Amino acid sequence: MLAAVGARSLDALVAETVPESIRLHRALELPPAKSERELLEYARRLGKKNRAMRSLIGAGYSDCVTPPVILRNVLENPGWYTQYTPYQAEIAQGRLEAMLNFQTMVEDLTGFEVANASLLDEGTAAAEAMHLAYEFRGGDAANTFFVSSGCHPQTIDVVRTRAEAVGIRVQVGDAAKASFDGVFGVLLQYPETDGALADPREVIARAHGKNALVTMAADILALAVVVPPGELGADVAVGSTQRFGVPLGYGGPHAAYFATKNEFVRKLPGRIIGVSQDARGKPALRMALQTREQHIRREKATSNICTAQALLAVMASFYACWHGPDGIRRIATRVHALTATLAHGLEKLGCKIEHRGFFDTIRVRAPHDTCDRCVETAASRGINLRRIEGECIGISLDEVSDEAEVETLLAIFGGEKGHGLRAADLAKETSAAIPSALARTSKYLLHPVFNMHHSETEMMRYIRTLQERDLSLVHSMIPLGSCTMKLNAAAEMLPITEPSWNAIHPFAPLDQAEGYADVFRELESMLSEITGFPAISLQPNAGSQGEYAGLLAIKKYLESRGEGKRDVCLIPQSAHGTNPASAVMAGMKVVVVKTDEGGNIDVADLEARAKEHAKDLAALMITYPSTHGVFEEDVKRICEIVHAQGGQVYMDGANMNAQVGLCRPADIGADVCHLNLHKTFCIPHGGGGPGMGPIGVATHLAPFLPGKNGLAVSSAPWGSASILLISWAYIHMMGAAGLTHATKVAILSANYLAKKIEKDFPVVYVGKRGRVAHECIFDVRALKKTAGIEVDDVAKRLMDYGFHAPTMSFPIAGTLMVEPTESEPLEELDRFVTAMHQIREEIRAIEAGKLPKDDNPLKNAPHTQDVVTATEWPHAYTREQAAFPAPWTRARKFWPHVARINNALGDRNLVCSCPPVDSYEPIADSR
């Protein structure tokens, strides 16, 4: 490889790629590298320091049972967790169907017409609902968002953080007594955080009378037995699907849901999976309304969310398929019956149950000394209870609860008297505690997919059927530029399925999570050394949330200095699309900085913009190496220009995998940097999530990190805590030398592909010495004129060769951005080179007139089994050329499940739930 790129050694190549002025020139000071065996033993030792007690805390998190067929075949299966976001829908039909099932499940249970394919957590989903409500009902006369005091405390914190940044006033209080004057939106918890289940219809009607939209944060399991928000008159429903088979994981990752009415779909945050059709009229799934993606809308985006919790949404949807409507209803009914039995028993013991209506949570009033005694006694028996203000205790039962647990609780509260009570006897005397007006009568989960996979044989085969429709890293490299689809080693994944790590409630006492505390300290220390920043926050649970948290830290810092009026954020033309969206959400004004002919930031234009906005300059957002795949030589000068005008430098860490061990953001001059752990540090993409986006900051910004001064950007204190173990394990096993070597090999791999492919597809940008960083951009634009071929055609044709396409048309329309990573062997890189070369030869055949412009392997790609085995073959090339263009495709062929999808048709005829089986007919094109 070095010979191919013309470099004497890896170090010589790095010297020609990374500017000398920013090189670290010393080894990272990290713990010695551990073998896989050593790491797993260390993880087990730390895991024993955790105490996975039985947590009946509730507050939006409940223990549940992950069906083993889902645990083994999805969560522990690289065929599912190494998939990428389904931008290439033809080779993502499996997870798209699973997420369509998720949307259908949410729509059915909430009673709404449309739902998205998941969000990050319940708190951020509620904040997104606030933004949606403001878009439709907000303004100068209506700038208040009313939040019921019955909402989960962490949800209130996240909403307050979001609202303050954009100047929205939050009012927290009793919704039953509120006037809703000047209110554009209302947030209710259903049932409330302390378990209260009251009819919200009157509150909803009053809010609507003041032209406010109503969001209900609803318990997904409760909706199996209570009237859903859509039937109550609400406008939006949000919540978590964690209790549908996803472990607690000390806070995540868990898939939130967001459902609403059709009239609000154009502002619905996140991703929507829609039904369209392929070139042959076959039903096909895709991400609908993609123009809402932040990479396209930039500062006009109404949300900065660019990921979902796809893997967890898939698990929740399979959980619904496994149990079906009867099973879900049976679980919900059982949980409620046990809770009502417990309440009845406690009343017999002289305790007061504060609310007559409840689902799975009760608020128990007792004298102060009794409260303390009960909580302490419960803890001594391995049970966590929730202290609630007003001398009360909260108890939340769940799918794992049984009669024995009820009897244990009665003994805790009643002593000897409680020991004499039997749950079975109490149950005979107990009536349901769901108000009759709120008892659900409507049906749900009627689609066949939720009613035909109830044996393990059926479920296993259904999961495998969908898996085989998706290309993942188990098939081939996924060469997506800026997305870093590297290996997620099995050893890194193993700890997250162990109960010592995944069975802990995020609000359990800290002394029960000492193993996690050690992991957090070690990970923060290692990330601090890698980035150069003295302070790290692990809370942001996505890259977009990291961007947002970093900008908020800058904003809070400026306010602390009396410079709160600084609100201009400079963003280069080449920046990631989430950058301007995040800046707007942080309450900043975006000013675009030009890039020069070499793809670098135009330093003269930057200096002019910085001086022009000197009094108002808050920050510059810069991606380094650049989104164009180049280490810009003037990066230190760029930071100095911004600092000279009183601004801060935010570095987007999307390309941090090209820096690790070679240079550090803090040394370069950045003040804050977020890290996409799902890119650089090996957390799986999972088909579009989960992810984590911790931030590192300079000393002066440390007091303004999430978790301090009431600032919260996710529901759980450490975000999706359980998957931090993956990055922790990765760094421990790689060690300083391994991490640095990986960075060098990633740079070598990118330069190797650039050199091998540039004769067929020119490289758009290179650095000062002719080198690219860890990724490179290939130009396809000229081929439209010479052969009628566009970038989409090349992308779809790559599927026939068994490859996922590189990143299309970002950051430059009509180009392909390729990132090979250090994980791929030379043989795989050469396969990709061969595929690109042969595709170029096919294009040359079109240019030479040997193949028609409208009937060739590229225009008709991808070719499905149905197409190549059809009786008729009307094309100007052979079936063999269509389906088996390279030798390896005969040895191991990945077949796209559908032909090219009609995207425009899917947007014109938006269908985002599972259609009835008899409706799977070709959709009439309305053009």
Side-chain angles (χ1 to χ4, degrees), residues 851-871:
L851 286 171
K853 285 190 175 183
D854 60 350
D855 182 27
N856 56 68
L858 284 91
K859 284 297 181 185
N860 295 327
H863 297 84
T864 64
Q865 277 184 310
D866 289 346
V867 169
V868 298
T869 59
T871 302

Side-chain angles (χ1 to χ4, degrees), residues 194-212:
D194 67 355
L197 181 62
D199 195 329
R201 290 180 177 95
E202 187 274 334
V203 171
I204 293 170
R206 281 194 295 108
H208 285 166
K210 295 297 179 71
N211 199 37

Side-chain angles (χ1 to χ4, degrees), residues 53-65 219 221-222 242-246 248 319 330-340 342 359-362 383-384 395-403 405-406 409 503 505:
M53 289 173 52
R54 182 80 174 99
S55 286
L56 305 181
I57 296 170
Y61 299 90
S62 302
D63 205 354
C64 61
V65 178
D219 184 307
L221 185 61
Q242 175 266 315
R243 66 189 311 173
F244 272 26
V246 180
L248 288 165
Y319 180 92
R330 187 164 50 249
I331 293 169
T333 301
R334 179 177 172 276
V335 170
H336 176 66
L338 287 170
T339 309
L342 174 62
F359 169 60
D360 67 351
T361 298
I362 54 176
I383 298 174
N384 290 321
I395 308 175
S396 298
L397 301 189
D398 53 43
E399 183 183 1
V400 181
S401 298
D402 55 20
E403 289 187 345
E405 183 168 85
V406 170
L409 290 167
H505 194 286

Side-chain angles (χ1 to χ4, degrees), residues 38-48 495 498 500-501 725 728:
E38 291 170 335
L39 182 280
L40 292 173
E41 177 55 35
Y42 185 41
R44 280 190 285 272
R45 289 204 308 273
L46 291 188
K48 290 178 181 177
E498 294 180 4
S500 60
W501 294 107
L725 286 161
W728 168 83

Side-chain angles (χ1 to χ4, degrees), residues 436-669:
S436 58
L438 291 179
R440 180 164 191 161
T441 58
S442 57
K443 296 181 178 181
Y444 47 84
L445 303 183
L446 299 180
H447 192 275
V449 76
F450 301 112
N451 293 278
M452 58 192 296
H453 306 297
H454 303 327
S455 75
E456 180 154 344
T457 302
E458 294 165 318
M459 193 70 205
M460 175 183 65
R461 288 173 179 164
Y462 180 54
I463 292 172
R464 184 57 183 264
T465 295
L466 297 193
Q467 177 189 331
E468 289 174 349
R469 297 176 183 174
D470 280 27
L471 188 141
S472 66
L473 285 180
V474 306
H475 299 98
S476 63
M477 68 183 287
I478 301 179
L480 287 146
S482 195
C483 295
T484 320
M485 293 296 297
K486 66 166 71 178
L487 176 70
N488 314 120
E492 298 157 14
M493 303 292 293
L494 287 175
I496 67 170
T497 58
E498 294 180 4
S500 60
W501 294 107
N502 73 16
I504 300 178
H505 194 286
F507 303 134
L510 293 178
D511 63 4
Q512 294 175 22
E514 292 182 357
Y516 263 116
D518 286 349
V519 167
F520 297 156
R521 279 192 294 269
E522 290 183 10
L523 184 56
E524 288 175 4
S525 175
M526 293 186 294
L527 293 178
S528 179
E529 167 65 6
I530 289 167
T531 62
F533 290 114
I536 304 286
S537 170
L538 301 174
Q539 187 180 116
N541 54 0
S544 59
Q545 301 304 96
E547 291 179 17
Y548 177 68
L551 292 172
L552 282 189
I554 290 173
K555 188 172 183 178
K556 290 287 186 182
Y557 165 71
L558 292 172
E559 289 172 355
S560 74
R561 293 167 52 88
E563 297 181 287
K565 64 180 180 59
R566 288 181 175 269
D567 62 355
V568 169
C569 186
L570 302 178
I571 300 181
Q573 290 174 328
S574 61
H576 282 105
T578 50
N579 288 176
S582 295
V584 170
M585 291 193 66
M588 296 183 180
K589 299 173 183 175
V590 174
V591 173
V592 176
V593 176
K594 296 177 182 178
T595 53
D596 61 24
E597 292 182 356
N600 302 308
I601 292 176
D602 186 325
V603 177
D605 188 62
L606 170 68
E607 194 156 23
R609 298 288 81 75
K611 289 180 178 178
E612 177 186 354
H613 299 282
K615 294 182 180 180
D616 301 315
L617 181 59
L620 163 74
M621 297 187 81
I622 179 176
T623 301
Y624 199 76
S626 76
T627 309
H628 291 154
V630 174
F631 280 94
E632 299 191 36
E633 298 281 338
D634 294 323
V635 63
K636 281 196 167 185
R637 171 67 181 140
I638 286 167
C639 295
E640 291 167 358
I641 289 170
V642 175
H643 287 149
Q645 302 301 336
Q648 299 287 293
V649 175
Y650 176 98
M651 183 174 287
D652 184 318
N655 296 337
M656 185 66 201
N657 55 307
Q659 291 194 50
V660 177
L662 302 182
C663 56
R664 307 193 302 176
D667 299 341
I668 292 170

